[in-house]
Amino acid sequence: STAKQMQKDDLIAQATTLIEQDKGQEAFNLIKDSLESSNNYYLYRIAAQSMASMNDPSQAVFYYEKALLLTPN
């Protein structure tokens, strides 16, 4: 639905801002509930960036690989 997409877009925007502020854990906490249910490229990319900012390269790679599988054409 459009409302659901707007909510997801808002979530992505908020998480992106947190990452830019070097608040990776907060960004991940914000998106983690939506992550599995959404299969959304942008949410997985944010999860990867969150893990990278928390110095967890193996988890960052894991989420980047999931994001790549969902890359928009």
Side-chain angles (χ1 to χ4, degrees):
S1 75
T2 306
K4 206 172 202 175
Q5 184 59 46
M6 285 175 56
Q7 185 179 16
K8 195 178 294 176
D9 291 346
D10 193 41
L11 198 64
I12 291 166
Q14 287 178 40
T16 300
T17 299
L18 287 168
I19 288 170
E20 289 167 356
Q21 296 170 348
D22 202 26
K23 296 178 180 173
Q25 182 67 60
E26 288 179 50
F28 188 76
N29 289 345
L30 189 64
I31 64 159
K32 70 180 177 185
D33 290 340
S34 301
L35 204 55
E36 291 298 321
S37 63
S38 72
N39 275 340
N40 181 283
Y41 163 78
Y42 298 102
L43 289 176
Y44 277 101
R45 193 182 73 191
I46 287 168
Q49 292 170 323
S50 297
M51 291 301 157
S53 78
M54 291 186 285
N55 296 315
D56 190 342
S58 62
Q59 280 295 99
V61 168
F62 171 78
Y63 285 116
Y64 272 124
E65 287 175 345
K66 284 199 151 219
L68 285 174
L69 293 174
L70 300 167
T71 303
N73 294 336

